[in-house]
Amino acid sequence: MANIVINEKTSGVLGVARQMLWFSAIGVLGFLVDAGVLYAALYWGLGLYGGRAVSYMSAVSATWLLNRRYTFQRSSPDNKLHQWARFVVSQLAGATINLGVYGLLVHTSPVVAHEPVIGVAAGSLSGLLVNFSIARAFVFRHQQA
């Protein structure tokens, strides 16, 4: 179990709720990055799956940067590249859920295959709680001091 240093800003239900709200708001921005890059990738001919791989990595990078700055505000002695890599790796559980829902919907629904943004939204929402919990406990734990 990770040791999390707690203070008045991140302790209790209100502190966690504040972080969850920031994480969710940044998730919306991540969704916009994800969807925008996906449509650009589709235009460039990368296809529904290749385009989503590029758009997902763009979104996860953007959300790491914003969560580091706004959700988990304390500066960390961690190397930024190492922290980014931990964030990307730690998000694999949520990504598995996210991309699994997307793939299932694109594969089974002609509507979603035609409008993949629906699959991006469904996938993003499905992985949100898992991603928040992992990020809070393992990636940004030092920034809660």
Side-chain angles (χ1 to χ4, degrees):
M1 194 95 202
N3 265 341
I4 298 175
V5 179
I6 299 176
N7 69 13
E8 66 280 352
K9 221 174 176 185
T10 61
S11 64
V13 174
L14 291 179
V16 174
R18 182 192 66 75
Q19 287 182 329
M20 185 66 179
L21 284 172
W22 271 108
F23 195 86
S24 297
I26 289 168
V28 170
L29 295 175
F31 165 76
L32 295 173
V33 169
D34 202 343
V37 172
L38 173 61
Y39 278 91
L42 291 173
Y43 176 79
W44 294 324
L46 292 179
L48 290 171
Y49 299 104
R52 185 67 204 279
V54 171
S55 72
Y56 179 80
M57 285 306 297
S58 299
V60 80
S61 296
T63 58
W64 164 75
L65 185 62
L66 293 169
N67 277 309
R68 178 181 168 82
R69 171 69 177 96
Y70 296 105
T71 306
F72 307 102
Q73 296 172 357
R74 302 286 178 165
S75 61
S76 172
D78 292 348
N79 175 291
K80 290 179 184 176
L81 180 60
H82 292 152
Q83 188 183 60
W84 173 84
R86 274 198 325 273
F87 186 73
V88 170
V89 170
S90 75
Q91 301 302 281
L92 291 177
T96 300
I97 295 167
N98 181 331
L99 298 173
V101 168
Y102 171 82
L104 178 69
L105 291 174
V106 164
H107 183 71
T108 61
S109 170
V111 172
V112 177
H114 187 263
E115 294 295 336
V117 69
I118 298 167
V120 172
S124 296
L125 289 173
S126 66
L128 177 67
L129 185 58
V130 171
N131 286 342
F132 172 73
S133 299
I134 292 171
R136 188 173 195 278
F138 298 108
V139 178
F140 297 106
R141 68 183 177 270
H142 299 297
Q143 290 177 261
Q144 296 180 52

